[in-house]
């Protein structure tokens, strides 16, 4: 069965430090890939997406992600974290051969930023 | 402004008392979905709709109903709520299959 794994439930970084959030998926072909951020009391906001082409994708708020087919990964990165980045981050995969294009979400990574 | 609007944002109710959570989008999207979010489980799809009068079950449909009589609205109905339906619920819409979803701000339901 298709699945998405975000191995880190919680991550704490200092403001100004770099960040990498991991996402691995289980799927035979290359899916569509997304990262969303959820701030407290709000819905999910799209950070970036990958459909095809260049494997390094730029998103909003200074985030980027790299698709690595050999590792079935789509890790999210930011060079310098700001206090306002504290939130929960979700990776999502959309299998492209199922016909339903159903989203499969990871369980999320909660980011805490220390001043 | 493009948005997905859910109401109510918060609701505390009792077991067995029927409730409806409304969802409306102003982007003319054909595809709409309902999710529930529980700690450690991420988001799980309850129902989705591909167009007016076209709906299908997601991963956790038991205890829920939906309807899609107009393109912009996709209400979630709990006919006889139970405590295990206490959760944070999100409505989402998208323009086409595989496209990014737009999410509402969520509805926190507590069933006592």
């Amino acid at each position: 069965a298709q699945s998405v794994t975000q191995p880190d439930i919680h991550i704490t970084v200092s403001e100004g430090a770099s960040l990498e959030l991991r996402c691995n998926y289980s799927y035979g072909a290359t899916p569509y890939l997304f990262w969303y951020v959820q701030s407290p009391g709000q819905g999910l906001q799209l950070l970036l997406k990958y459909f095809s082409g260049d494997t390094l994708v730029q998103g909003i708020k200074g985030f980027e992600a790299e698709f690595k087919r050999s590792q079935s990964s789509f890790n999210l990165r930011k060079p310098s974290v700001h206090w306002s980045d504290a939130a929960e981050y979700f990776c999502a995969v959309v299998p492209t051969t199922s016909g339903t294009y159903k989203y499969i979400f990871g369980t999320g990574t909660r980011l805490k930023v220390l001043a | 402004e493009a948005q997905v609007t859910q109401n109510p944002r918060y609701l505390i109710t009792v077991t067995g008392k029927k409730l409806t959570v409304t969802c409306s989008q102003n982007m003319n999207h054909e595809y709409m979905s309902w999710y529930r979010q529980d700690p450690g489980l991420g988001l799980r799809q309850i129902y989705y709709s591909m167009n007016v009068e076209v709906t299908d079950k997601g991963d956790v449909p038991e205890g829920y109903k939906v309807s899609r009589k107009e393109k912009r609205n996709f209400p979630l109905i709990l006919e006889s709520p139970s405590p295990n339906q206490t959760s944070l619920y999100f409505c989402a819409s998208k323009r086409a299959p595989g496209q990014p979803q737009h999410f509402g701000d969520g509805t926190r339901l507590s069933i006592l």
Side-chain angles (χ1 to χ4, degrees):
Chain A
Q2 298 129 1
S3 64
V4 179
T5 301
Q6 292 181 247
D8 303 304
I9 299 173
H10 297 278
I11 282 186
T12 300
V13 301
S14 297
E15 192 170 19
S18 64
L19 172 70
E20 183 170 32
L21 302 182
R22 296 182 289 165
C23 173
N24 292 91
Y25 63 88
S26 170
Y27 180 58
T30 298
Y32 296 154
L33 296 157
F34 304 87
W35 274 100
Y36 286 85
V37 60
Q38 183 182 22
S39 298
Q42 296 187 11
L44 280 72
Q45 179 185 20
L46 178 71
L47 282 176
L48 45 79
K49 61 184 184 288
Y50 174 79
F51 289 161
S52 64
D54 192 344
T55 57
L56 186 62
V57 179
Q58 302 298 319
I60 63 171
K61 305 186 180 189
F63 286 92
E64 67 178 26
E66 185 172 13
F67 168 58
K68 292 186 177 180
R69 187 191 313 271
S70 61
Q71 299 177 20
S72 296
S73 69
F74 189 55
N75 294 348
L76 182 71
R77 301 194 295 246
K78 187 169 185 178
S80 177
V81 170
H82 188 263
W83 64 265
S84 61
D85 293 324
E88 190 156 22
Y89 292 79
F90 291 93
C91 179
V93 165
V94 176
T96 54
T97 57
S98 68
T100 63
Y101 290 87
K102 184 178 118 177
Y103 270 61
I104 302 171
F105 284 91
T107 52
T109 297
R110 187 171 296 278
L111 174 66
K112 181 177 179 180
V113 180
L114 301 176
Chain B
E1 179 189 355
Q3 58 185 6
V4 178
T5 304
Q6 296 178 227
N7 280 296
R9 292 291 313 278
Y10 304 91
L11 179 63
I12 301 174
T13 188
V14 296
T15 299
K17 186 177 181 182
K18 180 180 179 180
L19 67 91
T20 299
V21 184
T22 63
C23 173
S24 180
Q25 50 95 3
N26 64 359
M27 294 165 279
N28 202 37
H29 286 169
E30 291 188 351
Y31 296 80
M32 298 186 74
S33 292
W34 275 104
Y35 295 88
R36 61 179 287 172
Q37 182 181 11
D38 301 289
L41 297 177
L43 279 81
R44 294 179 292 167
Q45 190 180 57
I46 303 170
Y47 269 95
Y48 63 97
S49 170
M50 292 77 77
N51 211 329
V52 175
E53 302 291 4
V54 182
T55 63
D56 207 349
K57 296 177 181 178
D59 297 317
V60 288
E62 294 77 21
Y64 304 94
K65 285 176 56 178
V66 292
S67 69
R68 188 94 181 271
K69 297 189 184 336
E70 307 165 280
K71 189 180 239 187
R72 63 183 292 122
N73 295 324
F74 190 43
L76 178 70
I77 303 157
L78 285 71
E79 294 264 359
S80 183
S82 62
N84 64 10
Q85 293 177 298
T86 292
S87 187
L88 179 59
Y89 291 85
F90 287 100
C91 180
S93 73
K94 61 185 179 182
R95 179 170 51 83
Q99 291 299 306
Q101 295 194 87
H102 297 254
F103 286 83
D105 285 339
T107 295
R108 187 166 291 280
L109 287 183
S110 294
I111 316 294
L112 304 178

